[in-house]
Amino acid sequence: MLVPSLLVFLGIVPFEEAFSGFADKWVLLFLFMFIIGDSLFQTGVADRIGKRIVRHASGKETGLVVHIMLVAGLMSAFLSNTGTAACLLPITVAVSRSSGVPLRRLLIPMAFATSLGGSLTVIGTPPNGIIESTYEGMTGMTFGFFEYSKVGIFVFIAGMAFLATIGRRFIPEGSTGSDGSKGTPALASVKREDHDGGRAWIAVTVFLLVIFFMAMAPVWKNIIPSLAGYLDSIPLTAYAVLGVVALLMTGVMTAEKAFRAVDWRTIFLFAGMLSLKPALMNTGAADFIAKGLIGFAGSLHINPDYATLAMMVVASVIVTNFMSNTATAALLAPVAVEIGLLLGCNPAPLLMGVALGCSACFLTPVATPPNTLVLGPGKYS
């Protein structure tokens, strides 16, 4: 809240613009998707999906790592990364106990997979929403629902292959889940309840319909040309709102559960940090930083476009491991747009580089909540 407040008091950004992030459609999209995603956790659907898929893994460590990462990555592409990690934590503990594979050899791959999976869709992680808001505000264009996966899928596969082979050798041996998970707050927070099968099916149906309409938004014009103009005018947030209303009307979610489902820290951080965009652009700060990066890239005697892109990715990766990935995206997205303007190129690749860099939360336990969640149970340093 200090960011928009100080910008107003210092006269850098007018009040309406500084606090407009709280009505930004991408902020609202994540707010409502938190509720829709949590309905799958509340009804036990996410828990059952995780158990069934992991059950098909062989008892060997490599197979377990691949299966756990696949489940974590795919779930976090559509659901909260933190919720996915909290859901899979007790499942991973059970897998460790039954297979004899040390828990600490499984938890880091699971936590990292939630970050890798978040880079696959527009709703996978809040930084993607920051990127969408910046891209749309500056150019009037947006990335498609699965456009992030065109690049993110290769990063996800590479990360999974690394952790299933060479990477796991860097994780020390430890105890199995029978010892490493006793009395941890993370496990205590995961509720075990008997769930209503009917409500579970409603939650799944609503979730799939919302995702379907969001994913199909860019291609309606090719399928139903007569309705293309109308369907193109409906923002993705509207589908999420209808999904939440359906969950409330059917009793799958109550108002109290819906409020608890929202990660308000993320929403306030997302909305508050959006005010950095006009501040950086209006004061020339983004132009100053962009020119510095382009100048440095030009001194490297290699293609300045690729050098600048590489620097943006590296900067995102470094900063995101010590600062919120949402705040990192808000800081660097306007710079990426300004670099695109100065170079006379489409800023889309630069913005995508920032988005992927902000999801590379692998260096510290405070880089992202899933890393913090597994720190105690895995007994990592």
Side-chain angles (χ1 to χ4, degrees):
M1 297 305 297
L2 275 174
V3 176
S5 299
L6 286 176
L7 290 175
V8 171
F9 279 108
L10 295 173
I12 296 173
V13 179
F15 179 86
E16 291 78 8
E17 195 171 7
F19 287 89
S20 63
F22 290 91
D24 185 89
K25 68 180 182 181
W26 298 106
V27 174
L28 296 175
L29 173 64
F30 275 83
L31 189 154
F32 292 116
M33 286 308 297
F34 273 129
I35 299 171
I36 293 174
D38 195 65
S39 70
L40 298 183
F41 294 113
Q42 293 281 350
T43 55
V45 173
D47 190 55
R48 287 198 289 269
I49 291 173
K51 282 182 177 177
R52 287 186 180 181
I53 297 178
V54 172
R55 193 183 302 153
H56 287 84
S58 63
K60 295 182 179 179
E61 185 176 332
T62 302
L64 290 172
V65 169
V66 169
H67 278 74
I68 288 171
M69 290 192 70
L70 271 175
V71 176
L74 292 175
M75 287 175 63
S76 65
F78 303 99
L79 307 174
S80 157
N81 293 2
T82 307
T84 297
C87 170
L88 292 179
L89 181 56
I91 297 172
T92 306
V93 170
V95 169
S96 172
R97 288 174 179 168
S98 60
S99 65
V101 176
L103 183 60
R104 68 189 320 183
R105 300 289 287 260
L106 300 176
L107 286 183
I108 275 186
M110 185 270 285
F112 284 8
T114 62
S115 294
L116 291 166
S119 65
L120 297 178
T121 67
V122 68
I123 62 171
T125 182
N128 292 358
I130 293 273
I131 296 299
E132 288 285 335
S133 180
T134 303
Y135 190 36
E136 184 177 33
M138 299 298 181
T139 67
M141 298 183 290
T142 60
F143 292 116
F145 188 85
F146 285 110
E147 205 152 359
Y148 292 84
S149 64
K150 293 179 180 178
V151 182
I153 189 66
F154 296 103
V155 179
F156 178 70
I157 292 172
M160 186 166 61
F162 175 77
L163 283 166
T165 53
I166 302 171
R168 63 190 176 91
R169 297 178 184 175
F170 295 100
I171 305 174
E173 294 285 350
S175 58
T176 62
S178 57
D179 296 321
S181 61
K182 288 182 179 178
T184 59
L187 286 180
S189 66
V190 180
K191 296 180 181 179
R192 293 296 188 192
E193 300 174 357
D194 294 324
H195 301 289
D196 183 352
R199 290 183 178 181
W201 276 110
I202 293 173
V204 170
T205 302
V206 169
F207 173 77
L208 291 177
L209 283 173
V210 169
I211 296 299
F212 171 77
F213 280 104
M214 285 183 177
M216 292 295 289
V219 297
W220 283 124
K221 58 186 176 184
N222 300 324
I223 301 174
I224 315 176
S226 59
L227 292 177
Y230 169 70
L231 293 170
D232 286 345
S233 67
I234 301 175
L236 302 186
T237 309
Y239 297 119
V241 172
L242 286 176
V244 171
V245 171
L247 292 174
L248 291 170
M249 289 181 67
T250 55
V252 174
M253 294 288 283
T254 63
E256 291 75 17
K257 287 181 179 179
F259 278 110
R260 288 198 301 267
V262 178
D263 186 343
W264 293 105
R265 288 171 298 180
T266 298
I267 295 299
F268 270 77
L269 182 65
F270 192 161
M273 294 300 287
L274 278 178
S275 57
L276 271 181
K277 180 174 63 178
L280 289 168
M281 301 300 290
N282 297 348
T283 61
D287 180 68
F288 175 77
I289 297 170
K291 285 180 178 176
L293 288 172
I294 292 172
F296 179 73
S299 68
L300 298 177
H301 304 294
I302 57 176
N303 186 308
D305 294 354
Y306 291 118
T308 306
L309 173 59
M311 284 195 301
M312 288 301 297
V313 174
V314 171
S316 302
V317 169
I318 293 173
V319 176
T320 197
N321 280 282
F322 300 95
M323 189 169 81
S324 156
N325 53 7
T326 305
T328 302
L331 179 68
L332 295 177
V335 176
V337 171
E338 192 65 31
I339 288 175
L341 293 174
L342 292 172
L343 292 176
C345 68
N346 187 342
L350 294 162
L351 286 167
M352 189 64 73
V354 171
L356 288 169
C358 289
S359 291
C361 309
F362 312 124
L363 300 182
T364 67
V366 296
T368 184
N371 287 10
T372 309
L373 196 65
V374 302
L375 183 65
K379 296 184 178 179
Y380 301 114
S381 63

